[in-house]
Amino acid sequence: MPTSKVLLNVWVNRFQKPLNKQVVTIKNLSFVLLMVLSFIWGGCDNEDTSGDSYADIIMQVSETTVWESVWGSNVPMEYMLVKEPSDTEWQRLVMGSIEGFEYVQGHAYELKVRKTTLANPPQDGMNCTYRLIEILSDTQPDTPVTPEEWPEEAKFKLKMVQLTPFMYLDTPLAAPFDLLTFRILDHRDEYTPFGNPEFLQYYDSIVMSSPVMPDTYPILQRKKGDSGTSESYTSQWNSYFFEKSDFLISLKGYKDGEVKYEYTIEQIMRERDFLGIDWERGSIAVANPQTHTIYCVLDTRYEFLLTNTQQRNNTPFVEIRVAAASHLIDAEKLQRQGAGLRWLLTKYLEKTAETAASFKTLPEDASIVETYGNDTTRVALLHIEGDDFHEECYYLIAEPK
């Protein structure tokens, strides 16, 4: 980049002519100096004298917070859930981390903030800071009509009625990759497995959602068409979840595009050794292991195939694959497999630098791409070359340490 001295000479030479043609006036010189200084200041917008760099970004803030224990402590802290432009998932941010911004529970925000990346971050702190520039939007939570305005028979409830743990563990607490069964009940806590309960007549749709997941799931849906009104309704449904911490689930009843009634529960989640796996107490399939399709009705980006826990070299292990997407060509399928498995791994584990020698259950023809782990589990992302009998693919092998 040209220096300020060179730029000044260029501008002065442009205006300087023989005295009999043009005289450089004080006004001209003031203009020149102003332009040069503006250029210098403008070129430094993204860096200051400390070496820190910054950028003004748009940040989304969820209406929901999470409480999680700090590493090495049992004391929980409250975190906001935020998304920067490059994020595909909600990220945790300690409450109060945005200078000049006061979070109000239940509100969703779109903020313009200045993100400063620190050249020398503190050893036990974040590598960036945030300062509020402007609140672009502040969305208050949907406010259903008050109970006094809505008849009792129009109200409904959501209840998780059955937990089917992976590995057939006897536990009351759900973990990622456990199957949960839900029901919609009336205001008397009564379940109607057949026919339509009375509350349905008050709504055009009833939708399941969660503030930490990208999709919704329709429980009741009425559509008007040329041939009349069609209706779909389910009173009981199943889902797995990819979350390892507690989250909210809501059922919202809509009429004429407005939320008329809402019922919310908190789903308690506890990760075991890895996902829903308990290496010590879990069952092991000695023959004919089954493959489970793991899906989430509120996050449909990926589905996974998880085998029952097997044993090789006296060591238990599981295989995890990404379910095939039939509409994709082979190269796209392979790319999706790698992306989905990395998404799952980085959500639960830290990347490691282990080699094949650390593992006891890898197949002979496997090639390790990356390894991940935590205190109890090591996982290898494997690549298998295609041949006459097998398709090229990526999959995971997880085993205890």
Side-chain angles (χ1 to χ4, degrees), residues 3 8 23 40 49 110 136 160 162 181 209 215 219 263 285 307 325 371 381 383 389 391 401:
T3 65
L8 180 59
V23 177
I40 294 171
T49 55
E110 184 177 54
L136 301 178
M160 194 272 283
Q162 185 173 346
T181 301
S209 64
D215 300 318
I219 307 304
Y263 191 87
T307 63
T371 59
L381 173 59
H383 176 246
F389 304 99
E391 287 187 359
K401 286 186 175 178

Side-chain angles (χ1 to χ4, degrees), residues 274 345 349 359 370-373 377-381 396-398:
F274 174 53
L345 289 168
L349 304 173
F359 290 82
E370 295 169 353
T371 59
Y372 295 77
T377 306
R378 59 171 58 92
V379 182
L381 173 59
L396 304 180
I397 290 284

